[in-house]
Amino acid sequence: MEKPLTFFHTFKQDISMLAKPERFTFPFCYEPHPLSIVAAEELQHYLMEQTDFEHPFGLTDNLDTAPIGKMFGVLVVENQQGQLGYLAACSGKLAGSNRHRYFVPPIFDMLEENSFFLREEKEINQLNREIEHLEQDMQLDVLRTQLEQTKSACTARLSAMRALHKANKAQRKAIRTGQRTELSDASYTILEQDLIKQSYRDQHEYAVEKQACRQQIQHIEELLHNLLTAIDEKKELRRNKSANLQLQLFDQYRFLNAKGEDKSIRAIFEEVTQLMPPAGAGECAAPKLLQYAYQHQLTPICMAEFWWGASPASEVRKHRYYYPSCRGKCEPILGHMLHGLMVDDNPMLHNPADQRELEILFEDEDIIVVNKPTEFLSVPGIHIQDSVQTRILSRYPTITGPLIIHRLDMSTSGIIVLAKNKNAHQFVQDQFIRHTVEKRYTALLDGIVSSPEGLVDLPLRVDLEDRPRQVVCEIYGKPAQTRYQVVGVEDRYTRVHYYPLTGRTHQLRVHSAHQSGLNTPIVGDDLYGRRGERLCLHAGYIKFVHPRTKQEISFEVQDPF
């Protein structure tokens, strides 16, 4: 075990002019405190200069392996002598190892030599090889082919026999008809008995052939079944071993909080989500940092996490940008670990639109057109009820039926159209569904975009482990297309017009920031870029057909940034 405070780093920079925050960082939505920024900069300097390990961050072109960027975290702490310093951590493994001299250790080191995890993993890997060997057995393909060929041949033989017997039946009918008047009753009776015997013979021949086919097919199916059963048995054994190993791992992950209370990861997730913890829970930087601080009587002061290296293919991660802790894996754990600390308020529980007015651009007996401010909900949320919809309903309590036709993200400002009656709602909404509504957004991008215009086509789905973030996903993502046109370059920023052809959640934000899109986040984007005074995205123009006059109408609001 490491010596006490081995991972306590004293500040190299002068921090005497930086006051401690009154409360600890709310990890899921924050602006890094100056102390956290200094700690992060010192960690980044170490990452640039270190020779302790080699990891393919993707910051250089001479890589033999695929780049793997990583999330790092810093926790500013105060020791028992009142000295400020910081701890550093990496999410997951780094350079194939959990142990590094600069970073706090994991909650549980699965890679420790002779650990139960490595022993069980070795057995599971052996099962994987055995399953792969069985699945690649040529006899399996031979039997599958033989089964299909036998079924096809049997079907052909039985079909030919049915055709022959049908012809025999027609011939017997013709004989009966032709001989009925030619033969005596006694002779006809003998003929009829012979024809009946022929019919029975045909039925017997068909039954014998059908039974023979069934036996041939059954024999091959049994051979194939035996092979597949062996594979299924090994897969079931692997499934059980993997499940048991996961449960064993969960037992090793226990987390402290500021009150000194200890709780297992399984108990934490059962209490909060009523579900088992997801894979990788407890391996992120934030839980590692807090756990080490509590174990060594270090008082947490503030915290920040940043990305270092190339972005993953699906997510939006920018080198050196600060990011909040993930919600799917970390929110339940940190909810427990922060008990006993004075933590910043959750800004998502406060209504930023409380003192803001909702500007009415147009109103008649069918529709209302409003200019929604930034940080203003379109419809009521889980914690905040104030929204465009509730404001309009309070202003027009006699309105019944549908109201909101389309929405804007809370942080996006601009034009929203609402309906005063069912017919107007259906008429305008149908235009949105058919993509005949003309919409134009303006965004200020944090960088220079070289291409003057183009189309971004990246399918999107929600990040199941970090809602409401969206990720690019070619398999399960919904189609998302955005046309863009550069309006101008302003200092180090680019002003663009967006013309979305679809309306996915965070579509313009992801298409702006993703490396396969414009690779330039929108200014003030706290999810996919850098936090700022506001998200510089504005729905400034819309044109559609009026539900009553059937004439095109349009509205435009000047960019507020």
Side-chain angles (χ1 to χ4, degrees):
M1 180 178 290
E2 75 281 351
K3 296 178 182 179
L5 305 187
T6 297
F7 301 101
F8 179 86
H9 305 290
T10 56
F11 284 97
K12 295 180 176 61
Q13 299 182 44
D14 181 11
I15 59 169
S16 59
M17 301 300 292
L18 299 179
K20 292 190 300 183
E22 295 181 1
R23 292 169 173 263
F24 187 73
T25 312
F26 179 73
F28 304 104
C29 185
Y30 64 92
E31 187 71 37
H33 186 272
L35 284 170
S36 293
I37 293 175
V38 173
E41 288 174 348
E42 292 193 3
L43 171 54
Q44 290 168 5
H45 179 76
Y46 163 78
L47 289 172
M48 287 188 290
E49 301 296 328
Q50 64 82 28
T51 57
D52 295 331
F53 60 86
E54 293 185 5
H55 182 89
F57 288 113
L59 298 176
T60 58
D61 296 328
N62 56 343
L63 287 177
D64 297 327
T65 58
I68 306 173
K70 302 293 290 185
M71 192 73 78
F72 289 87
V74 289
L75 177 66
V76 178
V77 293
E78 186 175 44
N79 64 19
Q80 291 179 301
Q81 290 72 44
Q83 181 186 22
L84 287 181
Y86 64 90
L87 309 174
C90 175
S91 291
K93 294 182 292 186
L94 183 63
S97 175
N98 282 324
R99 299 280 180 172
H100 297 275
R101 73 171 184 86
Y102 202 89
F103 303 108
V104 300
I107 309 299
F108 169 70
D109 189 357
M110 294 182 289
L111 304 181
E112 189 174 349
E113 189 176 358
N114 296 322
S115 69
F116 76 87
F117 176 82
L118 291 181
R119 290 197 304 272
E120 290 293 324
E121 187 181 48
K122 184 177 180 180
E123 292 186 15
I124 292 173
N125 288 337
Q126 177 60 32
L127 280 172
N128 288 333
R129 289 190 289 271
E130 292 173 6
I131 291 169
E132 183 179 2
H133 176 74
L134 287 172
E135 289 180 333
Q136 293 177 352
D137 188 344
M138 291 184 60
Q139 183 64 17
L140 203 59
D141 289 334
V142 169
L143 287 174
R144 283 176 173 144
T145 302
Q146 189 177 350
L147 180 60
E148 292 303 315
Q149 291 175 344
T150 302
K151 285 181 177 179
S152 179
C154 286
T155 299
R157 291 204 306 272
L158 292 175
S159 178
M161 185 171 285
R162 283 196 299 271
L164 174 63
H165 291 170
K166 185 177 181 180
N168 291 343
K169 183 178 181 180
Q171 186 179 23
R172 288 194 295 272
K173 183 178 180 181
I175 291 172
R176 287 189 180 96
T177 302
Q179 298 295 320
R180 185 69 184 88
T181 56
E182 300 294 329
L183 298 176
S184 64
D185 290 345
S187 297
Y188 186 80
T189 299
I190 293 172
L191 175 64
E192 179 65 26
Q193 290 174 348
D194 184 53
L195 293 175
I196 290 172
K197 288 178 182 178
Q198 292 179 28
S199 176
Y200 284 151
R201 183 190 62 209
D202 285 352
Q203 293 176 25
H204 177 69
E205 287 179 351
Y206 184 80
V208 170
E209 185 63 29
K210 187 175 182 180
Q211 179 63 22
C213 286
R214 184 182 294 114
Q215 290 176 347
Q216 291 176 23
I217 292 171
Q218 185 175 354
H219 174 67
I220 301 172
E221 285 179 336
E222 286 177 354
L223 295 176
L224 185 60
H225 174 75
N226 291 338
L227 282 177
L228 293 175
T229 298
I231 295 173
D232 289 341
E233 287 175 349
K234 288 188 179 295
K235 284 184 175 180
E236 180 65 21
L237 179 60
R238 180 181 63 182
R239 195 158 36 242
N240 291 335
K241 279 185 170 293
S242 296
N244 290 334
L245 178 57
Q246 190 65 68
L247 292 176
Q248 281 184 276
L249 281 176
F250 289 156
D251 290 339
Q252 307 303 314
Y253 284 82
R254 303 192 67 86
F255 300 89
L256 292 166
N257 61 23
K259 295 181 177 181
E261 298 166 338
D262 175 83
K263 189 176 286 188
S264 73
I265 191 171
R266 202 172 352 163
I268 290 171
F269 273 85
E270 284 177 355
E271 181 179 317
V272 177
T273 68
Q274 289 77 54
L275 297 171
M276 295 294 283
E283 291 295 319
C284 295
K288 293 180 183 178
L289 291 166
L290 288 169
Q291 184 77 354
Y292 186 87
Y294 293 145
Q295 288 174 335
H296 295 86
Q297 292 74 52
L298 299 170
T299 303
I301 302 300
C302 54
M303 181 176 69
E305 296 177 88
F306 63 88
W307 184 262
W308 188 265
S311 175
S314 60
E315 298 177 73
V316 174
R317 299 293 188 193
K318 299 295 182 182
H319 181 54
R320 287 187 168 182
Y321 279 29
Y322 293 100
Y323 290 95
S325 298
C326 69
R327 290 189 172 276
K329 295 177 182 178
C330 288
E331 190 168 28
I333 296 173
L334 296 183
H336 161 72
M337 299 189 83
L338 294 177
H339 275 297
L341 288 181
M342 295 290 289
V343 181
D344 286 337
D345 292 336
N346 180 356
M348 290 172 281
L349 299 179
H350 300 281
N351 179 21
D354 191 32
Q355 301 299 321
R356 299 185 183 183
E357 293 297 323
L358 186 62
E359 179 186 3
I360 305 295
L361 300 176
F362 175 83
E363 177 187 359
D364 64 12
E365 57 188 322
D366 296 299
I367 62 173
I368 304 170
V369 182
V370 303
N371 179 23
K372 184 185 85 67
T374 184
E375 301 306 321
F376 201 120
L377 288 170
S378 295
V379 296
I382 297 174
H383 304 293
I384 301 172
Q385 294 299 301
D386 188 19
S387 64
V388 172
Q389 178 169 293
T390 53
R391 291 278 185 100
I392 295 299
L393 284 175
S394 64
R395 183 168 178 169
Y396 304 96
T398 58
I399 294 179
T400 59
L403 185 67
I404 284 284
I405 300 173
H406 66 117
R407 306 179 186 184
L408 295 177
D409 288 345
M410 182 178 184
S411 298
T412 305
S413 61
I415 302 169
I416 291 184
V417 182
L418 302 96
K420 280 187 170 182
N421 55 68
K422 183 177 180 180
N423 290 335
H425 184 278
Q426 183 175 348
F427 187 87
V428 179
Q429 187 182 61
D430 183 61
Q431 296 176 65
F432 277 94
I433 294 172
R434 291 186 289 108
H435 305 293
T436 59
V437 176
E438 291 186 26
K439 294 177 290 182
R440 187 193 72 214
Y441 292 74
T442 302
L444 195 63
L445 304 187
D446 192 8
I448 307 300
V449 176
S450 57
S451 177
E453 60 182 19
L455 174 72
V456 180
D457 186 358
L458 296 173
L460 303 176
R461 67 164 176 82
V462 69
D463 186 341
L464 298 175
E465 294 183 347
D466 199 12
R467 298 173 186 270
R469 290 177 60 89
Q470 305 292 307
V471 296
V472 172
C473 181
E474 296 289 345
I475 300 175
Y476 302 108
K478 294 181 179 180
Q481 297 91 25
T482 305
R483 285 197 302 112
Y484 70 91
Q485 184 176 33
V486 172
V487 178
V489 175
E490 306 166 13
D491 192 13
R492 63 182 183 87
Y493 305 106
T494 304
R495 189 177 295 269
V496 299
H497 280 161
Y498 281 133
Y499 304 90
L501 306 181
T502 53
R504 308 301 177 201
T505 300
H506 295 179
Q507 176 176 319
L508 301 182
R509 299 168 71 172
V510 177
H511 281 182
S512 298
H514 195 273
Q515 59 184 345
S516 298
L518 296 184
N519 198 26
T520 314
I522 298 174
V523 171
D525 191 340
D526 59 345
L527 285 179
Y528 308 102
R530 291 191 176 101
R531 289 177 63 85
E533 292 184 5
R534 64 154 292 168
L535 175 70
C536 290
L537 179 62
H538 178 67
Y541 176 81
I542 192 168
K543 182 168 73 172
F544 59 95
V545 176
H546 191 278
R548 188 176 298 270
T549 68
K550 304 301 186 288
Q551 299 296 313
E552 284 189 340
I553 56 174
S554 63
F555 302 92
E556 187 168 8
V557 176
Q558 187 176 359
D559 299 343
F561 45 80

